[in-house]
């Protein structure tokens, strides 16, 4: 290696290291404060490493707050939304990928339109619509809203996965006498497992973190999801940073684990032609 | 494909009907949901903009024409929110893009442990947005967070105060959080585009004596241009609508100084329960975004025709 190459390599590694630190530092800080005993937190000033650690904040949050309820509610809402959206988007995405039919152009336009307009516009009308049905302050209401919001993007995502699977496969099955739906379910769906995983993960994280509509539709802790619960928790316990950050760490862990598991598929799915956050 | 949906006329009538209706059956559940939960509320929301809709007033609901828009025309907070939206969107998109591009270029070069590094630097994107907001709000809080103390030590602040409470600076808190949170998105799309560039182009260029900078300008940038354009444009619309970080970190405060239009709509609907006024602001935002999108489409057409 020439000295110039070595300098370039060192600079490259240092830049990457800098990025990793920048990406992880806020999360590290969350973790650090969550395990620092209260007496040290306020007396030691700002320190990179706590001189003592404790799990007291975690056990308090788990035992003496509504945190487990928020966790359960969010799991129900995000889980059901992810499953329902994935089913609906597989069906719709398959139709978009395999059939040409009258009205297809308008369906695509409608779905694109929903990606362009500000969802915050729908806050008031959706509240007004769900209220007489008794669906405000209910997990069902949230699932319906989140499912609708996520279906268009998930359909595009699934369509791009189906586009990648050759058509000969189900044609062969149909010559052998299978109906199109059977061919779809038994041959095409299993082949697009990465796509299903990416869609499931994507929608789960989106529903797990949705804030505006859950704030608007949910009041009180019984039906509160994570974002709502944690925000109310923060204003209620605003003096106790250790407990708040312990709650934050616990809200973070499932999302991060999930992300690390499906990261590869998600990147693959996103680069398959769809662009959204 | 249509070939086996329509082609075969020797099939019995019922079978043909079933084939013709298949695409509609597949798409119906998704469509019904989109229409009832997104399209109908959108139309309702537009009608609310011209009506007096207040949640706690039982006799509200009547049409009041352009009253909301007259109020809006004199609403200084709205104008500030509009300026803030430009500020928020401009800085967030610009810095997310610049850092995202640098990150993508760094990750494009093979090195040991690249997979792990990629997973780690993309991790912020997995953090739920409300939690990203809380996390950064805590980092900016001088009681437990290091940032004010660092800024003070560097001489950038005269005292280790919370910038989120400072009317002049509060907007920067959510912007910094947004940059941290959004870089991975740009990096992912740009990295995918980078990896689709044929490697032999670079080899040919270096044989011809092109340095790294020349190769970047003459090969990388032209290849990335379409991806950059579409990502930046879509993100611009998306970020101008993105109110989570602001609601969590500053709630638009202090004194509406960090309010953007999207968070202002939410504040009017959620806090003041004035759905009519909120919808009027939302309609203005919608019109602005549509205008922006149409301008972009026109620009694209013009560029395509020019060549």
């Amino acid at each position: 290696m020439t000295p110039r190459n070595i300098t370039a390599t060192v600079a490259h590694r240092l830049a990457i290291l800098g990025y990793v630190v920048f990406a992880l530092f806020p999360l590290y800080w969350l973790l650090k404060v969550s395990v620092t005993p209260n007496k040290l937190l306020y007396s030691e000033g700002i320190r990179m490493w706590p001189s003592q650690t404790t799990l007291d904040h975690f056990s308090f949050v788990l035992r003496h707050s509504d945190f487990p309820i928020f966790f359960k509610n969010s799991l129900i809402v995000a889980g059901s939304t992810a499953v329902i959206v994935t089913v609906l988007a597989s069906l719709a995405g398959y139709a978009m990928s395999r059939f040409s039919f009258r009205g297809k152009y308008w369906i695509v336009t409608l779905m694109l339109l929903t990606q362009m307009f500000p969802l915050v516009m729908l806050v008031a009308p959706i509240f007004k619509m769900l209220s007489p049905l008794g669906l405000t302050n209910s997990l069902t209401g949230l699932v319906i809203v989140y499912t609708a919001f996520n279906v268009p993007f998930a359909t595009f995502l699934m369509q791009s996965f189906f586009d990648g699977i050759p058509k000969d496969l189900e044609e062969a099955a149909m010559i052998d006498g299978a109906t199109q739906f059977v061919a779809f379910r038994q041959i095409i769906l299993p082949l697009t497992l990465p796509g299903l995983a990416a869609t499931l993960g994507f929608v789960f994280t989106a529903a797990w973190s949705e804030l505006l509509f859950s704030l608007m539709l949910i009041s009180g802790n019984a039906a509160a999801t994570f974002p709502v619960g944690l925000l109310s928790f923060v204003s209620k316990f605003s003096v106790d940073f250790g407990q708040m950050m312990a709650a934050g760490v616990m809200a973070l862990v499932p999302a991060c684990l999930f992300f690390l598991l499906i990261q590869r598929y998600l990147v693959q799915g996103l680069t398959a032609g769809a662009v959204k956050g | 494909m249509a070939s086996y949906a329509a082609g075969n006329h020797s099939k019995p009538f019922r079978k043909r009907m079933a084939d013709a209706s298949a695409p509609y059956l597949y798409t119906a559940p998704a469509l019904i949901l989109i229409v009832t939960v997104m399209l109908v509320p959108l139309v309702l929301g537009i009608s609310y903009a011209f009506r007096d809709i207040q949640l706690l007033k039982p006799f509200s609901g009547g049409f009041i024409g352009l009253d909301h828009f007259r109020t809006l025309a004199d609403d200084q907070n709205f104008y500030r929110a509009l300026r803030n939206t430009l500020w928020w969107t401009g800085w967030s998109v610009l810095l997310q893009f610049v850092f995202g591009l640098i990150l993508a270029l760094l990750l494009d070069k093979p090195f040991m442990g690249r997979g792990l590094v990629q997973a780690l630097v993309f991790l912020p994107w997995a953090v739920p947005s409300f939690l990203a907001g809380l996390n950064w709000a805590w980092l900016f809080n001088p009681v437990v967070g290091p940032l004010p103390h660092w800024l003070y030590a560097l001489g950038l602040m005269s005292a280790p105060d919370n910038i989120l409470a400072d009317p002049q600076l509060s907007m920067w808190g959510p912007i910094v959080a947004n940059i941290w949170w959004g870089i991975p998105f740009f990096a992912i799309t740009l990295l995918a585009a980078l990896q689709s560039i044929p490697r032999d182009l670079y080899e040919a260029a270096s044989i011809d004596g092109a340095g790294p900078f020349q190769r970047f300008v003459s090969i990388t940038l032209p290849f990335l241009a379409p991806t950059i354009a579409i990502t930046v444009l879509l993100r611009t619309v998306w970020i101008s609508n993105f109110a989570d970080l602001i609601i969590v970190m500053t709630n638009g405060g202090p004194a509406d100084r960090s309010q953007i239009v999207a968070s202002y709509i939410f504040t009017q609907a959620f806090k003041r329960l004035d759905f009519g006024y909120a919808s009027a602001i939302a309609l203005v935002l919608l019109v602005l975004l549509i205008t922006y999108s149409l301008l972009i489409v026109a620009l694209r057409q013009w560029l395509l025709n020019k060549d």
Side-chain angles (χ1 to χ4, degrees):
Chain A
M1 266 200 185
T2 64
R4 219 188 127 163
N5 277 344
I6 294 175
T7 325
T9 312
V10 170
H12 180 243
R13 298 296 192 279
L14 280 179
I16 286 180
L17 184 69
Y19 250 114
V20 173
V21 170
F22 174 62
L24 296 187
F25 179 75
L27 304 176
Y28 165 72
W29 202 260
L30 196 67
L31 191 66
K32 188 219 110 176
V33 175
S34 73
V35 296
T36 307
N38 267 342
K39 56 178 191 330
L40 295 183
L41 197 55
Y42 302 106
S43 62
E44 283 192 324
I46 304 299
R47 282 177 55 131
M48 279 304 118
W49 312 104
S51 55
Q52 236 184 303
T53 58
T54 173
L55 291 177
D56 286 354
H57 301 310
F58 287 89
S59 71
F60 180 90
V61 169
L62 283 175
R63 276 197 240 138
H64 302 288
S65 76
D66 286 335
F67 190 84
I69 300 175
F70 309 150
F71 196 93
K72 194 189 82 195
N73 288 343
S74 257
L75 219 53
I76 294 173
V77 170
S80 341
T81 304
V83 171
I84 301 172
V85 168
T86 307
V87 171
L88 298 188
S90 310
L91 290 170
Y94 183 71
M96 306 293 243
S97 168
R98 291 301 199 257
F99 300 103
S100 61
F101 53 98
R102 189 190 284 267
K104 185 173 167 180
Y105 173 81
W106 291 107
I107 296 178
V108 174
T109 310
L110 174 70
M111 289 197 176
L112 279 176
L113 174 79
T114 62
Q115 302 299 290
M116 298 305 286
F117 69 78
L119 287 182
V120 66
M121 253 199 107
L122 306 182
V123 162
I126 284 186
F127 185 88
K128 274 275 205 180
M129 280 171 72
L130 290 182
S131 172
L133 300 171
L135 288 174
T136 55
N137 221 359
S138 96
L139 299 182
T140 316
L142 280 185
V143 172
I144 294 173
V145 173
Y146 293 172
T147 304
F149 286 1
N150 283 293
V151 149
F153 177 69
T155 301
F156 291 130
L157 202 60
M158 283 312 299
Q159 181 190 349
S160 72
F161 279 103
F162 288 127
D163 282 344
I165 295 172
K167 285 173 192 133
D168 324 354
L169 285 169
E170 70 249 58
E171 272 166 14
M174 284 162 66
I175 287 167
D176 290 344
T179 65
Q180 174 122 22
F181 186 73
V182 170
F184 162 67
R185 216 186 53 205
Q186 295 189 345
I187 295 169
I188 305 303
L189 266 191
L191 283 174
T192 180
L193 271 181
L196 291 172
T199 309
L200 209 60
F202 190 89
V203 178
F204 185 90
T205 27
W208 184 264
S209 33
E210 204 287 329
L211 175 72
L212 295 190
F213 284 83
S214 49
L215 270 180
M216 190 70 200
L217 296 177
I218 303 292
S219 58
N221 281 355
T225 53
F226 246 123
V228 183
L230 202 56
L231 283 189
S232 75
F233 193 77
V234 165
S235 41
K236 205 157 123 201
F237 290 80
S238 58
V239 274
D240 202 315
F241 284 97
Q243 281 168 21
M244 291 191 308
M245 296 204 194
V249 169
M250 287 190 280
L252 184 66
V253 168
C256 285
L257 281 182
F258 209 52
F259 171 80
L260 290 176
L261 278 177
I262 61 154
Q263 191 247 132
R264 272 179 42 231
Y265 297 134
L266 203 57
V267 172
Q268 189 189 335
L270 277 176
T271 52
V275 182
K276 204 204 164 202
Chain B
M1 222 22 239
S3 58
Y4 43 73
N8 195 344
H9 280 275
S10 61
K11 285 179 187 167
F13 177 73
R14 266 185 58 190
K15 174 89 174 93
R16 267 189 289 136
M17 282 302 288
D19 283 352
S21 61
Y24 302 103
L25 292 176
Y26 280 96
T27 47
L31 279 180
I32 292 170
L33 205 59
I34 293 172
V35 169
T36 46
V37 185
M38 298 181 85
L39 208 58
V40 171
L42 180 70
V43 175
L44 271 180
I46 294 173
S47 88
Y48 286 2
F50 305 96
R51 290 165 65 187
D52 173 33
I53 303 252
Q54 302 194 37
L55 195 60
L56 293 181
K57 288 197 186 160
F59 298 110
S60 66
F63 274 87
I64 52 162
L66 296 175
D67 276 9
H68 287 314
F69 296 95
R70 281 188 208 107
T71 318
L72 199 55
D74 291 327
D75 185 347
Q76 291 311 313
N77 289 335
F78 169 72
Y79 289 111
R80 187 185 294 130
L82 211 53
R83 282 195 300 275
N84 281 345
T85 306
L86 289 177
W87 190 258
W88 152 259
T89 312
W91 283 111
S92 299
V93 174
L94 179 73
L95 293 173
Q96 283 182 1
F97 163 67
V98 170
F99 287 115
L101 179 61
I102 296 174
L103 181 58
L105 288 169
L106 290 173
L107 289 174
D108 190 41
K109 258 172 96 173
F111 59 90
M112 230 180 78
R114 184 165 70 171
L116 177 69
V117 167
Q118 182 174 314
L120 291 180
V121 291
F122 287 175
L123 198 59
W125 192 50
V127 175
S129 54
F130 72 96
L131 196 58
L134 284 177
N135 200 171
W136 278 92
W138 291 329
L139 289 173
F140 280 117
N141 188 319
V143 178
V144 284
L147 293 181
H149 303 279
W150 290 350
L151 291 171
Y152 173 66
L154 289 170
L156 294 171
M157 282 176 93
S158 54
D161 293 326
N162 193 342
I163 65 158
L164 299 177
D166 182 332
Q168 304 300 320
L169 296 172
S170 58
M171 194 82 227
W172 282 103
I175 290 178
V176 170
N178 196 15
I179 292 164
W180 177 78
W181 192 69
I183 287 174
F185 177 83
F186 273 93
I188 288 170
T189 34
L190 292 172
L191 184 60
L194 277 176
Q195 293 187 339
S196 68
I197 302 176
R199 295 287 130 164
D200 40 347
L201 279 181
Y202 288 107
E203 280 160 33
S206 26
I207 291 167
D208 291 343
F213 183 71
Q214 273 176 309
R215 277 177 304 198
F216 178 73
V217 172
S218 60
I219 302 174
T220 315
L221 271 187
F223 256 95
L224 288 187
T227 312
I228 293 176
I230 190 115
T231 318
V232 166
L233 297 176
L234 287 178
R235 280 275 113 172
T236 304
V237 173
W238 200 87
I239 289 177
S240 57
N241 283 325
F242 178 49
D244 291 22
L245 291 175
I246 289 179
I247 287 170
V248 170
M249 292 178 75
T250 64
N251 216 339
D256 273 342
R257 286 308 174 93
S258 63
Q259 200 79 272
I260 62 169
V261 177
S263 61
Y264 194 49
I265 294 168
F266 183 75
T267 312
Q268 297 297 322
F270 181 65
K271 291 244 173 74
R272 297 191 42 211
L273 301 174
D274 192 338
F275 286 1
Y277 195 53
S279 299
I281 309 171
L283 189 56
V284 173
L285 180 60
L286 181 68
V287 170
L288 289 176
L289 288 174
I290 289 175
T291 314
Y292 171 83
S293 308
L294 289 178
L295 278 177
I296 298 305
V297 172
L299 186 69
R300 185 171 164 273
Q301 283 298 327
W302 181 72
L303 284 175
L304 286 177
N305 291 337
K306 215 177 60 160
D307 295 334

